Amino acid sequence: MPDKFQNSADSASAPATAPYAIQPDDVVPLPSIPRGIYVGGGGTLVLRGVEGSEDVAYRNLPDASYVAVRALYVRATGTTATNLIAEA
C-alpha cells in the first residue's frame, strides 16, 4: 500500500507512525518516547517528561483528550485516566 507520508519529515505535528497502548507503571519507563499521549477515558495522568526531574499530574483531563508531552514514564500511582495511547 502506498504511504504518501513516507518522505515527510518527522515532527510534533506529523502523523504517528508507531502508536502503542500505555500500561502505567511506577518503575518501568515507556518503551519509546512518544510525541504525545491520547487519553481515551478522562481523569488524572501522572508522568515524568524526558528532561524532568520530578513527576507532574495533569488533572481533570476530559475523555478523548490529547496531551502534547514527551514522557519518559507514565506512573500507575495517581493515574486514573484510562485507554492511554502513545503517539510515537
Side-chain angles (χ1 to χ4, degrees):
M1 172 178 297
D3 179 0
K4 62 183 174 181
F5 297 104
Q6 74 182 26
N7 295 321
S8 299
D10 194 23
S11 71
S13 61
T17 58
Y20 61 89
I22 294 175
Q23 179 62 47
D25 192 290
D26 288 335
V27 179
V28 178
L30 295 174
S32 66
I33 305 299
R35 64 188 67 170
I37 299 172
Y38 171 80
V39 178
T44 298
L45 179 62
V46 178
L47 58 83
R48 181 170 298 182
V50 293
E51 294 186 13
S53 59
E54 60 186 56
D55 293 348
V56 296
Y58 289 81
R59 300 183 192 286
N60 302 312
L61 295 169
D63 291 354
S65 59
Y66 182 78
V67 180
V69 62
R70 294 182 62 220
L72 183 59
Y73 293 92
V74 172
R75 306 295 190 183
T77 300
T79 294
T80 60
T82 60
N83 301 314
L84 304 174
I85 302 293
E87 297 287 324

